[in-house]
Amino acid sequence: MKSITVNRATLGAGAAVGVAALTFSGCVANVSTTSADGVLTVTSTADACTVSSNTTTSGNTTFQITNSGTQTTEFYLLSSDGLRIVAEKENIAPGSNAELTVSLQPGDYFTACKPGMRGENVGETAFTVTGEAVELAGEDAELLSTAVSDYLNFVKNEVAELQPEVAKFAQTYAEGDDATARDLFATTRVHYERIEPIAEALGVLDPRIDYREIDYLAEAEALAKDDETFTQWLGFHRMEKDLWVPAKDAVQPDGTSAWDGWEPSTAAERKVLADTLVSDVNKLYETVNADDFSSAQGVDIATVSNGASGLLEEIAVGKVTGEEDWWSHTDLYDFQANLQGSRVAFELVAPIAERKSETGKELVASITSEFDKLQAQLDEYGSLKDGYVSYDTVTRDQQRELVDQIDATREPLSKLTNAVLGIN
């Protein structure tokens, strides 16, 4: 899921590390001790997100997360500005456990959870990483640096391809050429969906581009605090609803009326929405192509490895239900794009995991096999070249088959980051 916005007084989007500890509504103080072994426990409930320590030393850190609440939850490690996601673990079911492993540099961060995976964060608390900067040498440094560099080049290329496609889509939408805009909607979004973990980490930029209506409404007040220009639902999915106008008795994914507080955009409103999407995607291009993007965003090998898992989480959590493209039913295009982005990230770090140990080699082979099976299943419904069937024609049994194979792929993939970082 994408709900990442926090309810706080606005902080500069480029705020450097060193933010003082603040008190937030619903915040639960962490135990003021230091983790020495790089392993921290997290307990998520309906109103708390309790981490066993509010500080740790730099290097590999594993968060062992337990969901003691009644709703599926997410855990976030946020940067010092409280907006950018450094790392996250999604889709943690009630009563279940999950792990998130990251390689942390010294600095100030925040931890938080999101029960229900929608709305404002819960239990957001300052978190500090002490110690020396993590530096690698020799073959490890070369392999990891190459993998990160190649992934960033992949991201930059996808955004470069996204720009002109968005311009065409936005123009046809603004001009009222709905037939052409509908044809362009799914294929335009492919370039965004392939790099979703990077896009989601960029504060309010992703909500402006790709939030669904119910997500926006759940966080509208907080979003406006983080970005004073963000006072209405924007982006792909608002335009989608205009292009596939729901029936009068249609409902949202949460069961509320599709027409409650909504009506089709006027021609003038369409022009504003189209221009805003183009502007936001241009900003995305400028952001990922900035000279300091990697260092400013803390992109490292764990980012790439965790991104592979995160993209499959996107399918399993929000897309397999049909919630992502609720009005257009073009979800299978997003499935394929997420799957491609996940596999690119995996294949970039796989040689590192294989080099670490025999266990790493076996893990890579297992993940590759499961990826192949998942791709074969998705191929039964079409392709990006020839198009996919409308997702509302996919039966519940077929959805369950996809979920089962996604889960079969996610299981070994969840161990990839530890293998890459050499953690047993």
Side-chain angles (χ1 to χ4, degrees):
M1 300 290 283
K2 300 180 179 177
S3 303
I4 61 172
T5 309
V6 296
N7 185 11
R8 62 170 72 240
T10 302
L11 295 172
V17 294
V19 177
L22 303 175
T23 301
F24 305 104
S25 174
C27 180
V28 177
N30 286 341
V31 179
S32 193
T33 59
T34 302
S35 167
D37 59 0
V39 177
L40 300 170
T41 60
V42 181
T43 301
S44 175
T45 63
D47 57 5
C49 185
T50 307
V51 184
S52 58
S53 172
N54 63 4
T55 182
T56 190
T57 55
S58 57
N60 298 339
T61 299
T62 298
F63 294 92
Q64 297 177 338
I65 310 154
T66 298
N67 184 1
S68 298
T70 59
Q71 295 179 292
T72 299
T73 194
E74 301 172 336
F75 171 72
Y76 298 126
L77 181 68
L78 303 170
S79 65
S80 61
D81 62 12
L83 299 178
R84 180 176 62 83
I85 297 175
V86 176
E88 65 180 324
K89 190 64 179 179
E90 300 180 319
N91 197 34
I92 309 169
S96 68
N97 303 307
E99 283 192 356
L100 173 65
T101 298
V102 290
S103 180
L104 294 177
Q105 297 289 355
D108 293 334
Y109 303 82
F110 291 97
T111 56
C113 298
K114 194 180 294 294
M117 301 194 300
R118 183 170 287 124
E120 296 180 7
N121 293 340
V122 165
E124 186 168 324
T125 305
F127 182 81
T128 303
V129 179
T130 62
E132 300 297 322
V134 178
E135 296 182 2
L136 296 174
E139 188 174 358
D140 272 346
E142 183 178 350
L143 286 172
L144 271 61
S145 176
T146 298
V148 172
S149 176
D150 287 349
Y151 186 70
L152 288 174
N153 286 336
F154 165 71
V155 169
K156 292 174 183 178
N157 183 67
E158 288 301 317
V159 177
E161 293 191 22
L162 176 68
Q163 266 190 309
E165 296 300 319
V166 163
K168 288 188 293 184
F169 167 69
Q171 180 178 353
T172 58
Y173 165 81
E175 292 174 349
D177 183 0
D178 287 6
T180 302
R182 283 193 290 266
D183 286 342
L184 294 174
F185 175 76
T187 53
T188 297
R189 284 171 44 76
V190 162
H191 300 293
Y192 192 84
E193 293 292 323
R194 285 176 181 151
I195 61 163
E196 206 160 11
I198 290 291
E200 287 183 0
L202 301 178
V204 297
L205 194 55
D206 174 71
R208 290 177 64 95
I209 293 172
D210 204 37
Y211 253 26
R212 291 156 289 186
E213 186 175 14
I214 56 177
D215 293 328
Y216 171 75
L217 292 174
E219 301 180 9
E221 183 178 348
L223 288 165
K225 288 180 179 180
D226 293 331
D227 178 354
E228 62 183 11
T229 71
F230 195 3
T231 57
Q232 64 170 320
W233 180 34
L234 300 169
F236 279 122
H237 292 298
R238 176 163 178 182
M239 297 159 83
E240 174 197 9
K241 195 172 183 180
D242 281 334
L243 293 170
W244 284 270
V245 176
K248 288 294 184 179
D249 61 349
V251 296
Q252 296 272 33
D254 62 359
T256 59
S257 170
W259 288 77
D260 186 12
W262 176 86
E263 59 184 27
S265 302
T266 65
E269 289 169 336
R270 282 193 176 208
K271 179 67 164 58
V272 171
L273 292 167
D275 289 347
T276 300
L277 179 62
V278 169
S279 176
D280 286 339
V281 170
N282 287 344
K283 185 175 181 180
L284 176 63
Y285 177 87
E286 293 169 0
T287 300
V288 301
N289 282 281
D291 291 340
D292 64 345
F293 175 71
S294 180
S295 58
Q297 299 300 322
V299 179
D300 60 14
I301 196 64
T303 307
V304 181
S305 181
N306 287 329
S309 298
L311 281 164
L312 290 192
E313 297 268 355
E314 287 287 339
I315 304 174
V317 177
K319 294 186 171 69
V320 78
T321 60
E323 184 176 331
E324 176 78 3
D325 300 313
W326 191 250
W327 309 114
S328 64
H329 305 301
T330 55
D331 305 82
L332 290 170
Y333 290 83
D334 290 355
F335 279 30
Q336 180 63 77
N338 283 166
L339 179 56
Q340 288 175 332
S342 177
R343 189 146 194 175
V344 166
F346 160 67
E347 290 179 350
L348 286 173
V349 301
I352 302 169
E354 288 178 314
R355 175 179 170 273
K356 292 288 185 179
S357 66
E358 285 299 318
T359 301
K361 291 180 181 178
E362 294 171 1
L363 180 64
V364 167
S366 175
I367 295 171
T368 300
S369 175
E370 299 301 338
F371 262 128
D372 289 344
K373 294 175 186 176
L374 181 54
Q375 184 62 66
Q377 277 194 0
L378 198 54
D379 288 345
E380 296 175 8
Y381 301 99
S383 67
L384 291 178
K385 179 181 179 181
D386 298 325
Y388 286 96
V389 302
S390 180
Y391 195 60
D392 59 350
T393 67
V394 179
T395 68
R396 289 293 179 88
D397 287 344
Q398 290 172 321
Q399 289 179 19
R400 172 47 56 192
E401 290 175 357
L402 284 168
V403 168
D404 288 345
Q405 185 53 49
I406 291 168
D407 287 344
T409 310
R410 288 169 60 201
E411 194 281 324
L413 198 57
S414 68
K415 304 173 184 177
L416 181 63
T417 301
N418 281 12
V420 168
L421 296 177
I423 302 172
N424 294 327

